[in-house]
Amino acid sequence: MFEIPSDLPLKLSSLAWLLGHWQGWGTVAAPGTMPPAETDTKDNSATQPAEEETDSRFDAVLQDLEAAVVGEQMRMTIRTYEGELADEFDPLWTAAEGLDNIQPGALISEETTYWSVDTPLAVVPAGPDEGRELRVVGSGTRGFAVLWAGVVMGPRIQLASDAVVRAPRADALDHFSRMFGLVGGELMWASEAMPAGGEYEVEITGRLQRTASADEVAAKTSRASRHEDGDPSDG
């Protein structure tokens, strides 16, 4: 269901494969499995037992991702819901199989980001390992505002946080990195987070299928906007 949207700016052409509505499943790090922040133990390290390492555990979730053209940028909204398993979890499920076997629960998080392509169109990447530079900014319900820098190389994207602002009660995470890729027609993505004083750990993964084109997403958004404005033509 991949179609080039009618309003696609030329400068966003390298992101065209990502546009549309995607749905599927993923995993999130279960509460308490992210490593804690380091503390100063120089005065009592000899008397305190070594802290046990926390085993990572991941819970299945459902995900909804929309990527649409907004002016000269791409807007991406990701919603993650608790997953209620109808049967035993299989990590090899396709996106469609995950949707069939996982029922949506409460909303865990919602995040909206705005993407810009910084590399001028006149600059042609020299090889497969050189892509177009991305600048992404956004925030979400978890209490983070993040400025990202990254690169898109064909149907692959790598992002790393350039600056992170945390709300007072947000988790003590200092850096993030993300990867997106189109594999066999499905969108695979993963996000890593770095706790204060720690190392990168996988925080969330996703495996999604496209369920609507970019034009269909834009039409739905337009109808919703007219309805909110009380447009009588929106019947």
Side-chain angles (χ1 to χ4, degrees):
M1 199 181 296
F2 173 54
E3 301 174 1
I4 300 295
S6 56
D7 61 345
L8 179 68
L10 187 58
K11 66 186 304 180
L12 291 181
S13 57
S14 56
L15 297 176
W17 61 272
L18 191 52
L19 295 168
H21 187 191
W22 303 79
Q23 293 177 298
W25 67 277
T27 59
V28 297
T33 59
M34 292 294 289
E38 291 184 355
T39 57
D40 187 359
T41 58
K42 62 182 179 180
D43 295 331
N44 58 4
S45 58
T47 58
Q48 295 294 328
E51 185 175 344
E52 296 182 0
E53 292 186 0
T54 304
D55 291 332
S56 295
R57 181 173 66 85
F58 291 85
D59 291 336
V61 294
L62 285 180
Q63 297 176 351
D64 185 289
L65 184 154
E66 282 188 354
V69 175
V70 180
E72 293 291 306
Q73 296 179 307
M74 182 184 75
R75 180 184 62 212
M76 177 186 290
T77 298
I78 303 176
R79 300 178 184 89
T80 301
Y81 299 87
E82 292 179 352
E84 300 175 1
L85 291 171
D87 203 346
E88 185 175 354
F89 175 65
D90 184 350
L92 298 181
W93 278 335
T94 64
E97 289 170 336
L99 289 171
D100 288 339
N101 288 279
I102 305 174
Q103 299 301 313
L107 178 71
I108 296 175
S109 65
E110 179 176 316
E111 175 194 83
T112 297
T113 51
Y114 291 86
W115 298 51
S116 300
V117 179
D118 282 348
T119 303
L121 288 172
V123 177
V124 179
D129 295 328
E130 294 187 23
R132 299 197 175 277
E133 294 182 358
L134 300 173
R135 176 170 39 87
V136 182
V137 62
S139 61
T141 56
R142 294 180 61 197
F144 296 97
V146 184
L147 174 64
W148 305 80
V151 62
V152 53
M153 299 169 288
R156 294 182 295 138
I157 293 171
Q158 292 182 318
L159 297 175
S161 60
D162 202 24
V164 177
V165 178
R166 292 199 309 255
R169 296 185 180 181
D171 295 334
L173 302 175
D174 285 348
H175 299 284
F176 299 92
S177 69
R178 286 187 180 173
M179 295 179 292
F180 296 81
L182 196 61
V183 181
E186 293 187 324
L187 177 62
M188 307 288 193
W189 77 286
S191 183
E192 295 181 326
M194 179 185 293
E199 299 180 352
Y200 274 118
E201 294 283 339
V202 175
E203 187 182 36
I204 186 168
T205 68
R207 181 171 186 167
L208 316 176
Q209 64 178 3
R210 198 189 325 257
T211 56
S213 69
D215 280 341
E216 289 171 323
V217 171
K220 182 183 71 172
T221 302
S222 178
R223 288 194 301 269
S225 177
R226 292 198 306 268
H227 179 73
E228 291 176 359
D229 293 339
D231 189 337
S233 65
D234 183 43

